[in-house]
Amino acid sequence: MKAPIKMYHLKPLVVHDFAVEIPKCMYELSNIHESKAGQHVAASTQKLDIFDQVKQFLKSCQGVPGMAQLEARQKDILAQLAQLKQQIFSLKQDLNIQNGAASSELPKTAPQCYETPTKVSSFPDSLVITVNPSAPPYFLELLQQLLRNDVALVVTSYLHSSISLLPDLAVQLKKTLEKFQPVAGVPVIVVSLIWKNINSNSEILLAHTLVSGEVNVLRYLSRLATTNLSYDSDRHSLELDSLLDQCYLLARTKTKAERTNIFQVLNKSLGKFPWLVGRDQISIVDIAAFSAIRQSGISNELNANLTKWYQQCASLA
């Protein structure tokens, strides 16, 4: 067996046995983490503000070349900060005194002659309603007349790119809505009416939420202000909501048999009263039913009782 072969030696690539010259162009700083005795300085448990921190740092840097100018500059900054702090403190005291004086002047209890202000209309300044030209929004024509003493619905029409030409019935309604003259002194709502090819008959955008369906738009409009059209406090509110659903279905019926069933429900609700749900005043159910019947062009299918009611609705437009 042969003896192991000796490997050849290489010269070391890095030599550590020579002195390293430190550049003299920068001033030296003492180690702030060690005390003069060479021991590590324990972290202080006391929370110092910015003034004490700067002072402690300057104290540790005493005797270091080039620190005199920095220390003088820091002292000027600290003086300015102290002055600013004093100004803020004085301003805070003045504000507290003024607030205290103002609150002391207010009566602790309301005077006996104080009256609760009446509820102001919560109608918005503007509304954007999108409608289908094949189902003209006849409800807006009635609302303009019924709400004219409470709020003025000023309609401005716009044609969407999905529509090239409006039908004759839509053009006629558009002219009627735009020539409406508001009553002086009432709030005005600018209604932007967009004629667009949509799946529903009407849509309204509320705070990034799309409300679809003409009856749902009417539900929203009836809750905007305290008017005769509001039905939340009505004892027949459940029946009103049920009939609104029937009006929604009426606008989507495809056979005469389906419409006959809905007409029977409306006729039963009308009875011998002038308006639906046995009311002496018109409600949004009458508006929704009238608009759905007029949109579909099925007024000739009504019986004598509903025909009289339909003509009464048309006379208000």
Side-chain angles (χ1 to χ4, degrees):
M1 184 174 180
K2 296 182 179 180
I5 300 175
K6 294 183 179 180
M7 299 294 293
Y8 57 87
H9 295 278
L10 293 176
K11 294 182 179 180
L13 298 178
V14 180
V15 180
H16 300 280
D17 56 351
F18 60 89
V20 179
E21 295 183 2
I22 301 177
K24 304 296 184 181
C25 59
M26 300 293 292
Y27 56 85
E28 297 180 356
L29 293 176
S30 59
N31 190 350
I32 62 175
H33 299 289
E34 295 183 359
S35 62
K36 294 182 180 179
Q39 298 179 354
H40 182 72
V41 179
S44 176
T45 58
Q46 184 180 4
K47 186 177 181 180
L48 303 177
D49 59 10
I50 185 63
F51 299 97
D52 295 334
Q53 290 180 19
V54 174
K55 289 180 181 179
Q56 188 178 29
F57 172 74
L58 292 177
K59 184 178 180 180
S60 63
C61 296
Q62 289 180 355
V64 179
M67 289 299 296
Q69 296 180 354
L70 180 61
E71 183 177 359
R73 185 176 178 183
Q74 286 297 113
K75 287 182 179 180
D76 293 339
I77 295 175
L78 288 175
Q80 294 177 4
L81 290 175
Q83 184 179 4
L84 180 60
K85 183 178 180 181
Q86 183 62 32
Q87 292 177 357
I88 294 175
F89 181 75
S90 300
L91 182 61
K92 181 180 179 181
Q93 287 184 332
D94 294 340
L95 290 175
N96 290 335
I97 293 174
Q98 292 178 4
N99 291 335
S103 60
S104 62
E105 294 175 359
L106 295 176
K108 296 183 179 179
T109 58
Q112 298 295 328
C113 59
Y114 177 80
E115 295 181 358
T116 303
T118 57
K119 182 180 179 181
V120 181
S121 174
S122 58
F123 275 111
D125 296 331
S126 61
L127 290 173
V128 178
I129 301 177
T130 307
V131 296
N132 195 325
S134 61
Y138 295 108
F139 71 95
L140 280 177
E141 186 179 8
L142 284 176
L143 285 178
Q144 276 187 334
Q145 301 300 328
L146 295 175
L147 298 178
R148 63 182 303 126
N149 294 326
D150 298 317
V151 64
L153 300 178
V154 179
V155 178
T156 304
S157 296
Y158 300 93
L159 197 64
H160 191 261
S161 59
S162 60
I163 302 298
S164 58
L165 186 64
L166 287 178
D168 294 338
L169 293 177
V171 173
Q172 184 179 357
L173 178 63
K174 173 179 175 295
K175 293 179 180 179
T176 303
L177 294 175
E178 292 180 346
K179 71 178 183 180
F180 171 76
Q181 295 296 328
V183 178
V186 301
V188 176
I189 299 179
V190 179
V191 179
S192 298
L193 191 64
I194 303 176
W195 300 89
K196 182 180 178 182
N197 187 12
I198 56 177
N199 296 328
S200 177
N201 50 8
S202 298
E203 294 177 349
I204 186 171
L205 186 62
L206 304 173
H208 307 290
T209 301
L210 185 65
V211 177
S212 180
E214 190 170 287
V215 296
N216 294 323
V217 174
L218 279 170
R219 283 187 172 104
Y220 168 73
L221 294 177
S222 68
R223 289 173 167 85
L224 288 181
T226 305
T227 63
N228 295 331
L229 298 179
S230 180
Y231 67 98
D232 285 335
S233 58
D234 196 294
R235 59 189 180 92
H236 300 294
S237 59
L238 294 178
E239 185 178 357
L240 286 166
D241 264 327
S242 178
L243 288 176
L244 284 174
D245 294 336
Q246 293 294 323
C247 297
Y248 180 84
L249 297 175
L250 180 60
R252 287 158 178 78
T253 54
K254 297 181 180 180
T255 64
K256 186 176 180 179
E258 293 176 346
R259 293 192 293 269
T260 301
N261 294 331
I262 298 177
F263 288 153
Q264 289 177 356
V265 175
L266 296 178
N267 187 61
K268 182 179 179 180
S269 175
L270 181 61
K272 297 181 179 180
F273 291 90
W275 304 107
L276 294 173
V277 203
R279 293 169 61 103
D280 295 327
Q281 293 180 339
I282 191 172
S283 67
I284 61 171
V285 177
D286 300 277
I287 299 175
F290 169 78
S291 182
I293 294 172
R294 190 173 178 183
Q295 287 173 2
S296 305
I298 54 177
S299 59
N300 57 340
E301 299 179 11
L302 302 176
N303 58 19
N305 194 27
L306 288 176
T307 300
K308 181 180 178 181
W309 160 84
Y310 180 82
Q311 294 174 352
Q312 186 173 285
C313 291
S315 64
L316 297 177

